[in-house]
Amino acid sequence: MAARILYLVRNVHILGKSGNHFIIYLLSDSLNNASQSSPRRQVKPNTQSNESERLVQVMTLRSWLSGPACPLPPGRWSQAESEGRMLPSELTLDNIRNNDFKDVVFGRRCARYLDPDHKIPREEIKQIIEETNCVTPTAVDTQPFAFLVVDTDEGKAKLDSIMRGSDKDRITACSFAVVPCADRLWYETYDEHVRLESEASPDYIAPMADGLLAGVFKWVDELTEGNGEYLDKSINYQVGMAGMSFQNVCRAHGYDTGVMDSWDPQLLEEKFGLDLDRYIPELVICVGKSVGSLQPERYRYPADEKIIWG
């Protein structure tokens, strides 16, 4: 684990205590797969929990909110770890180079060839993730996704080794690559998320925190009934929106992106130690500076071909 560097937006946390912040895996050159193996984590929540146990959890949260400093319960997160919080209004946006909405959204094209000499600093990568997080809508603000970020030559070579067909040999030339992943365990520390949100937006969240938390517990039970397919559907569509937001944010930063889905995602566990019981990898997005021209405009169906009137 020593070779894995885990960054969280505004915070650094130990893996497994990340709450609903984005986890950004920045893979160091000395990464050792053998040291990264970890036991499987339980994906499905404990369905034996009863209402009295839930009430205790809700009342615990209410006591946090009513305290003068909103203290954390002992043994969970340190005060230093809890201090970081982020609102869209706090973003500096100092690396936004293209503020033309029309060009950002309608001028985006797939970039197949990127400049291998162009580097994007990690601080700006973190800014891109923060901005993506702030513009992506999610159910009850759960943010149920994480980004595997690969920015070293060693990491890019490993990721490229699991690509197929025409998507092979594209990753090694990019500045960094991202694998958006749906997170099946987003609910593990949702109480901590609500607590932090109550600090950031007290007039909005504090009066409804206990009802919100209880409602989310019930919702998770409904999502995880049976084989958990409803949970997967819920988080998959949300990470899809994050992937599109990410590409638009990258373009606003002056970078180009290329999406790839011809690969063997099951090998991410072997190559990077990614827990595939927890995370569902969606696709690969390369980011960098395009060399040559972007893909030309393509034909798109008119609205009459796509609308099903109700």
Side-chain angles (χ1 to χ4, degrees), residues 71-287:
L72 286 165
R76 294 194 66 182
W77 295 272
S78 71
Q79 186 62 41
E81 289 177 331
S82 72
E83 287 174 354
R85 59 188 184 194
M86 183 180 67
L87 295 173
S89 59
E90 296 174 345
L91 298 174
T92 63
L93 304 178
D94 54 0
N95 278 308
I96 297 293
R97 302 174 180 90
N98 183 352
N99 205 26
D100 183 338
F101 176 84
K102 179 179 177 181
D103 184 61
V104 167
V105 175
F106 293 97
R108 189 195 59 79
R109 297 286 183 275
C110 176
R112 293 197 62 86
Y113 305 102
L114 297 170
D115 182 358
D117 296 323
H118 184 81
K119 305 299 180 185
I120 299 175
R122 288 188 169 183
E123 190 58 37
E124 187 172 3
I125 294 174
K126 291 171 64 180
Q127 288 180 336
I128 290 171
I129 298 297
E130 288 181 334
E131 292 159 14
T132 297
N133 195 17
C134 283
V135 300
T136 301
T138 62
V140 205
D141 199 26
T142 51
Q143 304 156 61
F145 35 70
F147 286 149
L148 169 65
V149 177
V150 182
D151 70 338
T152 67
D153 291 341
E154 178 190 4
K156 287 185 284 188
K158 288 195 293 186
L159 187 55
D160 185 69
S161 71
I162 66 176
M163 305 306 295
R164 295 178 174 180
S166 60
D167 285 340
K168 203 161 184 62
D169 299 326
R170 292 175 62 187
I171 292 175
T172 52
C174 70
S175 299
F176 71 96
V178 162
V179 180
C181 300
D183 183 1
R184 289 187 175 108
L185 294 181
W186 61 264
Y187 53 79
E188 276 197 337
T189 49
Y190 186 69
D191 54 351
E192 168 68 357
H193 170 78
V194 173
R195 191 196 66 79
L196 289 172
E197 189 147 62
S198 72
E199 292 180 349
S201 304
D203 293 338
Y204 167 70
I205 198 68
M208 56 181 283
D210 54 352
L212 175 63
L213 193 59
V216 168
F217 286 151
K218 181 178 179 181
W219 180 48
V220 169
D221 275 349
E222 294 171 352
L223 287 174
T224 53
E225 286 181 352
N227 61 8
E229 65 175 313
Y230 294 110
L231 173 65
D232 287 359
K233 286 180 180 179
S234 173
I235 59 180
N236 278 333
Y237 89 76
Q238 293 177 77
V239 75
M241 290 193 291
M244 190 67 252
S245 297
F246 173 80
Q247 291 184 79
N248 286 332
V249 170
C250 285
R251 182 159 175 80
H253 278 246
Y255 304 125
D256 302 300
T257 57
V259 176
M260 299 174 288
D261 63 355
S262 181
W263 62 325
D264 294 306
Q266 69 274 11
L267 295 178
L268 287 172
E269 186 158 26
E270 173 189 332
K271 298 293 184 178
F272 298 106
L274 189 69
D275 184 352
L276 296 181
D277 282 345
R278 173 173 184 168
Y279 297 109
I280 307 173
E282 299 295 322
L283 41 78
V284 181
I285 305 175
C286 285
V287 184

